[in-house]
Amino acid sequence: MSRAAVFLDRDGVLNVDVNYLYRPEDFIWLEGAQAAVRYLNQQGYLVIVVTNQSGIARGYYSEAAVNHLHNWMNEQLKQFDAHIDAFYYCPHHPDGIVEQYRQCCACRKPEPGLILQAIDEWSIDAAGSLLIGDNRRDVEAAERAGIKGYLFTQGNLLEFVRKVVKDKLSSKEG
């Protein structure tokens, strides 16, 4: 049985966008972010993060550092009875200095690869799913993957999430 998912960009949606964030001590949750994840969990959505992480290709940090940060985020979310079901990230960039990651790929947003991979691996109901991102490339990736994308620019993430979930449900019924 497939479930709907809410895909979230990481930097600028869940946390303050700090250039090349990889250390927990530099991480700052955005207002309403933890409550938004809990709300989505309670509504029965899979919560999946899709994030470009070109800092890996640029040699600023490793995949292990990204995975460490993502594990730390989920540990923090436990305090709010919340969790992120999966993290998908693109380590590539065509101008990277780390050879194995220097490439154009299908997973770097605005390409839809990360979303399509999650849809496949989690048997996600794409029609019932949505993405929230802080950049036009996030929304474009969602559209290319066949899901509705919403642009979050500022404010309380929980309030925004409640609004877009309601909007998605009303458009589904109409």
Side-chain angles (χ1 to χ4, degrees):
M1 183 174 108
S2 64
R3 284 174 62 191
V6 173
F7 294 90
L8 301 170
D9 180 45
R10 192 188 78 185
D11 303 324
V13 175
L14 290 172
N15 57 275
V16 173
D17 191 355
V18 176
N19 279 339
Y20 305 111
L21 174 68
Y22 68 97
R23 299 179 337 169
E25 56 268 30
D26 297 330
F27 187 99
I28 302 168
W29 291 100
L30 283 177
E31 181 184 4
Q34 300 104 318
V37 173
R38 181 179 60 231
Y39 173 79
L40 292 168
N41 294 153
Q42 292 169 341
Q43 298 302 307
Y45 287 97
L46 290 168
V47 178
I48 299 184
V49 168
V50 288
T51 177
N52 288 345
Q53 292 299 313
S54 70
I56 297 168
R58 296 173 194 275
Y60 298 152
Y61 49 85
S62 65
E63 287 194 69
V66 171
N67 290 322
H68 174 73
L69 180 66
H70 292 164
N71 291 334
W72 178 87
M73 289 171 65
N74 253 339
E75 285 299 314
Q76 295 291 302
L77 285 168
K78 283 181 183 177
Q79 299 170 30
F80 295 88
D81 293 322
H83 68 277
I84 293 167
D85 293 288
F87 292 86
Y88 288 81
Y89 62 89
C90 172
H92 307 115
H93 194 277
D95 299 328
I97 63 165
V98 179
E99 182 71 32
Q100 74 185 92
Y101 301 117
R102 185 175 51 237
Q103 60 179 286
C104 293
C105 64
C107 63
R108 183 170 175 76
K109 295 179 289 178
E111 296 300 325
L114 294 176
I115 299 166
L116 294 173
Q117 181 183 355
I119 287 171
D120 181 55
E121 291 178 359
W122 288 81
S123 299
I124 290 171
D125 168 20
S129 298
L130 61 100
L131 175 140
I132 298 171
D134 70 325
N135 192 294
R136 179 72 199 133
R137 72 176 166 259
D138 300 319
V139 175
E140 188 177 334
E143 291 168 353
R144 288 181 179 188
I147 65 174
K148 176 80 172 148
Y150 294 87
L151 192 61
F152 174 73
T153 54
Q154 61 184 2
N156 183 300
L157 185 61
L158 176 60
E159 293 171 7
F160 187 83
V161 162
R162 283 185 171 147
K163 179 181 173 294
V164 298
V165 166
K166 183 179 175 185
D167 175 64
K168 180 70 176 166
L169 291 175
S170 64
S171 70
K172 196 175 177 182
E173 293 166 1

